[in-house]
Amino acid sequence: MNSTDASDEQLLEAFARGDDNALGELALRYEPPLLGLACGLLGRDRSLACDAVQEAWVRVIRGAAKFRGESTVKTWLYRITINCCKDLFSGRTRRAQIEANETNGSQPSAVTPDPDADQRRRRIHAAVQALPLDARALILLCYHNGLSHAAAAEVLRIPIGTLKSRLHAALTELRNRLESEATP
Amino acid sequence: MTESTHDEVERELTEMTRPLGETPRLWRRALEQTRTSSATTLPLGQWWRQSRPWLSVAALLIFAVTIGILALDSSLSRARSTASSRLAAAPDAARRGSPADRAPSSAMAPALGRTPESRWRFDKSPSLDLGGVVERAGGMEGFYAGEVSGVVSDIGMSAGQEPAQRQVIRKASVELRTADVRSAFVKTQMLVSEAGAEYIENSAISGEGEQMQADLTLRVSAARLSEVLNALREIGTVLSQQLSGEDVTAQAVDLEARLSNERRVEQELLQLLEERQDAELKDVLELRNHIGSVREQIERLQAQQSHLSRLVSLATVLVIIRHEGKPPEKPKDEGLGAYFARVMKSAWENGVTGLADSIAWIASTLLGGLIWWTIAATALWMAWRKFATLRAAAKTEPHA
């Protein structure tokens, strides 16, 4: 089987049978987006995000043989990653670290020559990080590239209607926060 | 919020989770981490395979210890039962032997933390507590229970604080089955020892052949009750046995006290009569009458005491002897045709009987209720006539 043509499910099954390269192929597909999502969830802390994704892979490796195919491998990987991020975030020390990173002004992903734009970006990041973790996960998952709302709903195990209403509420809260920060 | 700001937020949200171009091959690290931890923490199946020999040894050890505990408990139980049987023999010997022989049995009882009475009640004497025991199908334990009951009755007081004899009226009933009822009847009569003041209170034999039955009421010495019961067991097969004991010690003590009191009163009255010879005739007569009533009371109490003593000294044994009936014959095997004929005959008989019953019911209902049917028919006819008259009148009336 050519691993590049194989489906996610076939790769996971191959890995469960002992083919480590299949896991490598799976990681090639999903590790970058998973790491990006983890970074977004964990306040752009890359090392923490790496820890989360590595822990997610550990869980995938241990659970590969038990995967029953009730959901797609893709949504399964996202769900595991979000859970790992939540677990890491729940640690008080980590949380304090994240807050410290935010207040110290962790570097945004893109360096722009416009200082006002950079300031706005920092404000948006701070407002997103100030949201509750579930709301943050929902927003970031919905705006995550390559993931439809239906897939996000499957990852979060909620109906798509519920997802949309929660997304609306979370965005409203985010805008309110940004507006309240903008008005002195 | 302006439209551009809105777009900027959405763009930034998308940017926040933008996939990273190069990743540090986290999956490889995870794989190594998993394999390293697998080396230290075994999966459950592997752990089971590796630990199975030790677990087997542990299970064997636990099994051996359990068996040892059970064996120890069993031997302790045997020791306890041996001690119980020795103590059971001791009161019996005490009952038959001298008072000096009773001391060891009484002395042994506290060693086990029980009095002889309580021990017997605990081990074997439901007959004493329930006032009798019924043993079915010729069991021998009933006889032993009878002996035990007697023993307990005798030692009951000696094990307690009073040296006085317990007064118990014993009654037993035994139902026997034998092939020769008449012979058993005679043998049972011969069990009575007339020299020992024992006697047959009642005896009767009735029926013929397999319907023959003998009933006897024996009055035997209470001390010989168990002996007589054992002898009855040899005469025929025991169908049932019932033993009961009524403790009348309190009644006997009460009678004795009342008798002593009446005797004392009598003595005092006689002494008074002796001293007042010169009293008026009226008073003397009154005193004599009083003495007479006291004497009458004394004699009545003495008669009751004598009767009670006879009841205690002689146990009552009711013996019923029945003939051994032939075992019920097995129905003969019948063929299919015979079975069909029998069923059809039965069905025909049932049908005819049902038809006759139905006819009889109709006839009895019609004839028995003739008067009521007549009254009901007359009432209906009259009502119909009245209704017809009213309808005719309504037809002839002009409309309004």
Side-chain angles (χ1 to χ4, degrees):
Chain A
M1 181 180 66
N2 188 358
S3 61
T4 53
D5 297 337
S7 67
D8 297 344
E9 285 72 20
Q10 286 172 332
L11 288 173
L12 190 68
E13 195 180 339
F15 170 68
R17 287 199 303 266
D19 183 4
D20 290 352
N21 292 328
L23 185 69
E25 178 59 29
L26 208 58
L28 200 64
R29 293 179 189 179
Y30 291 111
E31 195 168 288
L34 290 178
L35 196 58
L37 180 66
C39 275
L41 278 171
L42 296 170
R44 309 304 299 173
D45 186 334
R46 191 181 168 92
S47 66
L48 200 60
C50 284
D51 286 351
V53 173
Q54 186 175 330
E55 176 61 25
W57 282 123
V58 168
R59 293 186 190 182
V60 168
I61 290 163
R62 287 180 179 159
K66 298 173 190 169
F67 182 71
R68 295 190 296 265
E70 290 173 355
S71 62
T72 62
V73 171
K74 183 180 178 180
T75 55
W76 185 55
L77 290 174
Y78 273 99
R79 193 181 304 138
I80 291 174
T81 305
I82 289 175
N83 286 336
C84 289
C85 289
K86 285 181 179 177
D87 291 347
L88 281 176
F89 191 80
S90 62
R92 287 178 180 276
T93 53
R94 290 289 189 178
R95 190 171 189 171
Q97 187 182 346
I98 291 165
E99 286 168 359
N101 286 341
E102 288 299 316
T103 51
N104 293 336
S106 60
Q107 291 299 317
S109 56
V111 178
T112 58
D114 184 1
D116 290 340
D118 191 45
Q119 184 67 26
R120 286 197 301 274
R121 187 175 296 117
R122 284 177 189 278
R123 280 179 44 226
I124 293 170
H125 281 217
V128 169
Q129 294 304 323
L131 289 172
L133 186 60
D134 287 337
R136 195 191 318 161
L138 188 137
I139 284 182
L140 294 178
L141 208 55
C142 287
Y143 282 94
H144 181 60
N145 270 339
L147 208 63
S148 64
H149 281 191
E154 193 183 336
V155 169
L156 296 173
R157 287 181 171 165
I158 54 174
I160 190 162
T162 308
L163 177 107
K164 286 181 177 176
S165 64
R166 286 185 187 175
L167 177 63
H168 179 73
L171 284 173
T172 305
E173 188 179 348
L174 181 65
R175 283 170 194 148
N176 291 338
R177 283 175 186 273
L178 288 170
E179 282 176 3
S180 64
E181 284 180 11
T183 52
Chain B
M1 187 180 284
T2 61
E3 191 67 29
S4 61
T5 311
H6 181 71
D7 292 342
E8 189 180 0
V9 168
E10 289 196 338
R11 192 171 56 249
E12 194 57 37
L13 285 173
T14 307
E15 184 66 23
M16 280 176 75
T17 60
R18 184 174 53 84
L20 301 180
E22 288 183 5
T23 59
R25 295 169 66 85
L26 295 167
W27 67 275
R28 176 65 69 184
R29 289 188 201 168
L31 205 59
E32 288 167 2
Q33 179 188 340
T34 310
R35 284 180 180 158
T36 310
S37 62
S38 309
T40 52
T41 56
L42 296 172
L44 189 63
Q46 197 176 346
W47 175 84
W48 167 248
R49 278 192 295 277
Q50 289 186 1
S51 310
R52 196 162 48 190
W54 297 106
L55 289 174
S56 303
V57 170
L60 277 173
L61 276 174
I62 292 169
F63 181 72
V65 169
T66 309
I67 292 291
I69 290 170
L70 287 176
L72 188 65
D73 186 59
S74 170
S75 64
L76 284 174
S77 298
R78 275 201 303 275
R80 278 197 293 271
S81 66
T82 308
S84 296
S85 61
R86 282 177 186 165
L87 281 170
D92 195 32
R95 182 168 64 89
R96 289 170 188 151
S98 64
D101 296 334
R102 296 181 194 177
S105 65
S106 300
M108 284 172 71
L112 285 181
R114 302 173 186 167
T115 63
E117 185 179 10
S118 67
R119 173 173 52 76
W120 278 105
R121 184 168 291 140
F122 177 77
D123 290 339
K124 288 191 176 182
S125 66
S127 61
L128 184 68
D129 292 334
L130 299 175
V133 64
V134 178
E135 295 289 338
R136 289 283 169 194
M140 291 175 63
E141 292 178 9
F143 289 99
Y144 299 140
E147 290 180 354
V148 169
S149 178
V151 170
V152 174
S153 301
D154 282 349
I155 68 170
M157 276 307 228
S158 60
Q161 68 281 16
E162 289 292 329
Q165 277 289 333
R166 187 178 288 277
Q167 306 285 313
V168 179
I169 300 172
R170 298 189 184 90
K171 291 178 182 173
S173 67
V174 182
E175 188 174 353
L176 300 173
R177 189 174 62 190
T178 179
D180 190 352
V181 176
R182 194 172 294 280
S183 169
F185 178 69
V186 174
K187 285 178 185 172
T188 304
Q189 284 179 324
M190 291 174 70
L191 290 175
V192 172
S193 166
E194 291 185 359
E198 296 175 355
Y199 63 98
I200 299 168
E201 191 173 276
N202 182 29
S203 69
I205 189 164
S206 60
E208 289 291 333
E210 291 183 4
Q211 302 300 319
M212 185 177 283
Q213 177 178 324
D215 301 302
L216 298 101
T217 306
L218 311 180
R219 300 300 305 275
V220 298
S221 169
R224 269 192 357 107
L225 178 61
S226 58
E227 180 188 334
V228 170
L229 291 174
N230 281 331
L232 281 171
R233 181 167 54 86
E234 292 171 1
I235 290 174
T237 308
V238 178
L239 289 178
S240 69
Q241 175 186 332
Q242 184 171 358
L243 291 163
S244 63
E246 183 188 357
D247 190 348
V248 292
T249 310
Q251 196 178 340
V253 169
D254 182 51
L255 273 175
E256 182 61 38
R258 285 166 62 192
L259 200 55
S260 304
N261 186 49
E262 293 294 332
R263 281 176 179 149
R264 186 176 53 77
V265 171
E266 186 189 34
Q267 286 299 321
E268 286 174 2
L269 290 174
L270 286 171
Q271 192 176 355
L272 193 63
L273 185 64
E274 194 72 26
E275 290 171 356
R276 298 293 183 88
Q277 290 290 345
D278 54 346
E280 290 183 11
L281 182 61
K282 180 188 169 191
D283 293 340
V284 171
L285 288 175
E286 192 176 345
L287 195 56
R288 280 184 180 277
N289 284 339
H290 204 162
I291 290 170
S293 65
V294 170
R295 167 50 52 184
E296 185 183 343
Q297 181 67 12
I298 287 171
E299 286 173 358
R300 190 179 296 124
L301 290 172
Q302 281 177 335
Q304 286 180 14
Q305 197 178 33
S306 171
H307 177 66
L308 194 62
S309 177
R310 277 200 307 278
L311 285 175
V312 170
S313 63
L314 293 177
T316 306
V317 183
L318 175 65
V319 185
I320 301 168
I321 305 169
R322 300 185 193 282
H323 192 280
E324 273 183 349
K326 289 181 182 175
E329 291 182 1
K330 288 175 67 178
K332 293 176 181 175
D333 293 337
E334 57 185 358
L336 188 61
Y339 170 76
F340 184 73
R342 184 166 59 79
V343 170
M344 288 306 292
K345 184 184 174 187
S346 172
W348 171 255
E349 288 173 355
N350 288 339
V352 170
T353 307
L355 182 63
D357 288 344
S358 302
I359 292 170
W361 180 81
I362 292 169
S364 64
T365 306
L366 287 176
L367 294 175
L370 190 59
I371 296 172
W372 302 110
W373 294 126
T374 308
I375 292 171
T378 307
L380 278 173
W381 179 75
M382 289 175 69
W384 173 251
R385 285 290 302 274
K386 182 72 175 174
F387 174 71
T389 307
L390 288 173
R391 192 172 58 177
K395 278 181 181 175
T396 54
E397 281 179 4
H399 291 286

